[in-house]
């Protein structure tokens, strides 16, 4: 939603200009910076609620180090490792749609409001993905949603490869100097922006649902591992994106996308054997509760067992 609102503001602020004036730049920084500070203050002013310890005194506050310990324990579990591929891709994808693709648009098309339009379409794709993929989950399951998201992402990467020159993300000139395979077109570029948001949203929706399902008794450490890995990879991608030619960046994204999908399908197969992904009918839910508890305990087993 922030991508929609923020880029809509940018679209009207930039107008039809081909350069960003100092006054426009200052206005943009002041407005967006003000919203950022307001959001930060709203979090700081939230009431601090104690986290009760399970099966203990509800008034006793959990140690602040306990979530970190839980996160480290979850990070080395075998089933969490199968999700690392999807985590890594979401980090690389986050950097690509939030920074690289916007730079590509700016280096190919002269009008600055095209940058905002691309951001709006990316935000629209992510917002709509929450509804579209959630509905499709009930029809084709999580693995079906992830497969569709993989196809959408790979389609977007292929179109970027075809429609933009190889130096579009790294050029130091006012405009990219390379020649694309097919002529660059703003309408195709905006369609790709929509696909990027839709595909990335599909991966995130699937990851959120999976973590909430498999680690429903302790979701916070599981989500902490996800965000940590995603943040590390987004940072790493940001460091190389200014020097690596566009085709190689797209190759890395494509490999990460397919690899993340494959490892997720392996986890899905393992969980399907324990009837963890399917909604259990009332008549069989109690009969399977013991197996579900056993499987949840297996999820937290470390990858490497050490002798005492």
């Amino acid at each position: 939603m922030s991508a929609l609102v923020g880029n809509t503001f940018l679209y009207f602020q930039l107008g039809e200009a081909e350069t960003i004036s100092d006054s426009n730049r200052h206005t943009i920084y002041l407005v967006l910076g003000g919203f950022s500070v307001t959001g930060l203050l709203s979090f700081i002013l939230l009431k601090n609620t104690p986290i009760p310890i399970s099966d203990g005194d509800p008034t006793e506050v959990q140690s602040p180090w306990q979530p970190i310990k839980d996160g480290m324990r979850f990070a080395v579990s075998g089933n969490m490792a199968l999700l690392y591929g999807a985590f890594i891709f979401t980090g690389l994808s986050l950097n690509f749609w939030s920074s690289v693709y916007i730079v590509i648009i700016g280096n190919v098309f002269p009008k600055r409001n095209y940058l905002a339009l691309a951001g709006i379409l990316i935000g629209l794709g992510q917002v709509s993905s929450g509804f579209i993929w959630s509905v499709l989950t009930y029809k084709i399951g999580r693995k079906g949603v992830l497969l569709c998201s993989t196809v959408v992402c790979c389609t977007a990467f292929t179109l970027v490869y075809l429609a933009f020159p190889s130096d579009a993300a790294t050029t130091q000139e006012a405009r990219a100097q390379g020649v694309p395979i097919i002529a660059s077109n703003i309408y195709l570029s905006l369609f790709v922006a929509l696909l990027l948001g839709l595909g990335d949203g599909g991966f995130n929706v699937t990851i959120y649902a999976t973590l909430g399902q498999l680690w429903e008794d302790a979701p916070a450490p599981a989500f902490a591992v996800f965000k940590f890995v995603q943040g590390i990879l987004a940072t790493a991608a940001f460091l190389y994106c200014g020097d690596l030619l566009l085709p190689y960046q797209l190759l890395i994204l494509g490999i990460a996308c397919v690899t993340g999908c494959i490892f997720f399908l392996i986890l899905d197969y393992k969980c399907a054997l324990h009837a963890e992904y399917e909604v259990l009918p009332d008549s069989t839910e109690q009969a399977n509760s013991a197996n579900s508890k056993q499987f949840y305990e297996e999820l937290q087993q470390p990858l490497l067992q050490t002798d005492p």
Side-chain angles (χ1 to χ4, degrees):
M1 185 60 70
S2 60
L4 278 174
V5 177
N7 283 290
T8 300
F9 163 72
L10 286 180
Y11 177 78
F12 290 105
Q13 183 67 29
L14 296 175
E16 298 290 329
E18 295 188 3
T19 58
I20 302 177
S21 64
D22 289 340
S23 60
N24 262 345
R25 187 179 293 109
H26 294 158
T27 302
I28 291 170
Y29 282 146
L30 286 174
V31 172
L32 297 184
F35 277 109
S36 298
V37 172
T38 303
L40 178 62
L41 290 176
S42 67
F43 277 106
I44 294 176
L45 297 177
L46 287 176
K47 183 179 180 181
N48 185 23
T49 56
I51 304 176
I53 298 178
S54 301
D55 301 326
D57 185 359
T59 63
E60 187 176 357
V61 179
Q62 186 184 51
S63 168
W65 296 104
Q66 189 59 43
I68 298 177
K69 295 178 181 178
D70 292 339
M72 294 176 64
R73 177 166 52 87
F74 277 42
V76 296
S77 63
N79 288 278
M80 179 67 77
L82 291 175
L83 288 171
Y84 279 171
F87 295 172
I88 289 171
F89 171 69
T90 59
L92 299 176
S93 176
L94 172 62
N95 174 73
F96 186 78
W97 63 255
S98 64
S99 61
V100 177
Y101 193 66
I102 302 301
V103 171
I104 292 173
I105 296 290
N107 287 337
V108 173
F109 301 104
K111 293 184 178 180
R112 300 296 92 182
N113 59 1
Y114 287 166
L115 307 178
L117 280 176
I120 291 173
L121 267 296
I122 291 173
L124 182 63
Q126 291 188 322
V127 171
S128 61
S129 69
F131 173 76
I132 294 173
W133 297 128
S134 297
V135 172
L136 288 178
T137 299
Y138 291 98
K139 297 182 179 296
I140 60 177
R142 290 177 192 158
K143 63 181 178 182
V145 166
L146 198 71
L147 284 170
C148 291
S149 300
T150 301
V151 172
V152 170
C153 289
C154 290
T155 301
F157 300 150
T158 302
L159 292 175
V160 172
Y161 173 74
L162 294 175
F164 292 99
S166 59
D167 64 337
T170 57
T171 182
Q172 300 299 319
E173 306 295 333
R175 293 287 179 270
Q177 304 300 309
V179 179
I181 298 175
I182 61 176
S184 299
N185 182 291
I186 186 57
Y187 299 106
L188 177 61
S189 303
L190 295 178
F191 175 67
V192 170
L194 181 66
L195 291 182
L196 288 173
L198 195 62
D200 181 75
F203 265 83
N204 281 281
V205 166
T206 305
I207 290 173
Y208 291 153
T210 302
L211 293 178
Q213 175 75 21
L214 297 183
W215 287 277
E216 59 182 347
D217 292 341
F223 278 93
V225 173
F226 165 46
K227 286 300 179 182
F228 177 77
V229 175
Q230 185 186 58
I232 290 294
L233 266 296
T235 303
F238 180 79
L239 294 177
Y240 71 67
C241 67
D243 299 315
L244 194 62
L245 291 176
L246 181 59
Y248 298 110
Q249 295 191 43
L250 295 172
L251 179 62
I252 293 173
L253 283 165
I255 292 174
C257 181
V258 174
T259 302
C261 180
I262 291 173
F263 279 107
F264 180 87
L265 293 178
I266 295 173
L267 177 62
D268 182 89
Y269 176 75
K270 290 181 63 177
C271 294
L273 293 179
H274 294 79
E276 279 293 308
Y277 272 13
E278 301 299 330
V279 178
L280 298 174
D282 293 339
S283 58
T284 61
E285 186 171 0
Q286 293 182 352
N288 286 275
S289 60
N291 292 334
S292 298
K293 182 178 180 181
Q294 179 183 0
F295 180 63
Y296 174 77
E297 294 173 352
E298 292 174 359
L299 284 173
Q300 303 181 45
Q301 294 300 317
L303 283 169
L304 300 176
Q305 299 288 345
T306 56
D307 296 331

